[in-house]
Amino acid sequence: MKRILREVSVGESADAISNFMKLVANEKFGHYWLHQLNLLMRKEPTHVLTNKWLEDLSSKYTWAKTEKHFLETKRLWFNEPQWPFQICVLDIGGMDNETLFKEWESHHNLAGDIKHFSLLSPSESKKICLIRLEAGFLGLSPGFKFGDINRAHPDLNLSLCPPETAFFLRSLVKECF
């Protein structure tokens, strides 16, 4: 059956627009809802990384801006409104296990879980670039296995994070959606 749609009147859309404006006005999550609207309204394909986005990710300027954003706002994840992903630059390493344990203990009650880990080179500190994106952008269909995503993806220049990344990342993440 073919459905013929008619024009939507202003009156019919008023409730939806009013509700959306309340979501956007929320100080804590307004930026999230505005981002979702921008994703909905974009003309690019929603299931693949476009060339423009890949160019943005390959630009040193983008990553410098991301790092600057974190230093100024203390918000770990950065994104432009048109991006369907988030990025961050993270400093990892550069501390011995005892220092890491003390840092972890001051933020979390799980310090005992890492007491005997030997993950870090005490003298080596490095910056890593992280990206959060949906599995579909890696070409994975719903129902994928964890091993499909937990590997390097050389076609997108993505590799696995060093094992200590989670310990440095966890202390910076204040809340999750």
Side-chain angles (χ1 to χ4, degrees):
M1 178 189 290
K2 188 174 183 180
R3 183 173 178 184
I4 300 173
L5 299 176
R6 60 177 172 70
E7 290 184 11
V8 177
S9 72
V10 173
E12 290 173 313
S13 63
D15 287 340
I17 292 171
S18 175
N19 288 338
F20 182 75
M21 290 307 295
K22 288 176 188 174
L23 291 172
V24 171
N26 182 301
E27 186 176 317
K28 193 172 185 182
F29 298 117
H31 65 282
Y32 169 77
W33 291 109
L34 186 58
H35 172 71
Q36 292 301 316
L37 178 64
N38 284 328
L39 291 179
L40 177 68
M41 296 177 67
R42 71 175 183 253
K43 293 181 181 175
E44 299 92 0
T46 59
H47 60 286
V48 294
L49 291 173
T50 65
N51 287 336
K52 172 68 174 118
W53 296 334
L54 293 172
E55 287 172 17
D56 289 348
L57 289 172
S58 65
S59 167
K60 287 184 181 184
Y61 171 75
T62 299
W63 294 99
K65 187 166 63 168
T66 300
E67 189 171 13
K68 182 180 178 190
H69 167 79
F70 173 67
L71 294 173
E72 291 175 354
T73 66
K74 296 301 179 203
R75 288 187 178 165
L76 182 63
W77 295 101
F78 174 79
N79 69 291
E80 296 289 348
Q82 67 272 19
W83 291 351
F85 52 83
Q86 296 175 321
I87 60 175
C88 78
V89 176
L90 183 66
D91 285 315
I92 62 170
M95 62 176 73
D96 59 24
N97 284 357
E98 184 177 327
T99 307
L100 176 63
F101 176 74
K102 286 178 185 174
E103 176 74 20
W104 188 261
E105 189 174 42
S106 69
H107 287 38
H108 310 284
N109 296 330
L110 306 171
D113 294 343
I114 67 163
K115 194 168 196 169
H116 303 291
F117 284 178
S118 180
L119 298 173
L120 306 172
S121 168
S123 61
E124 186 180 333
S125 178
K126 60 183 171 181
K127 290 182 191 226
I128 60 172
C129 300
L130 302 175
I131 182 170
R132 282 193 332 191
L133 48 78
E134 294 177 18
F137 288 107
L138 299 175
L140 302 175
S141 57
F144 65 88
K145 295 190 178 357
F146 180 71
D148 295 337
I149 199 166
N150 192 29
R151 63 177 179 80
H153 294 273
D155 50 328
L156 294 173
N157 198 23
L158 297 175
S159 59
L160 289 176
C161 297
E164 63 267 22
T165 303
F167 299 111
F168 287 91
L169 190 61
R170 180 69 186 262
S171 64
L172 296 172
V173 174
K174 305 299 182 217
E175 64 183 64
C176 297
F177 267 132

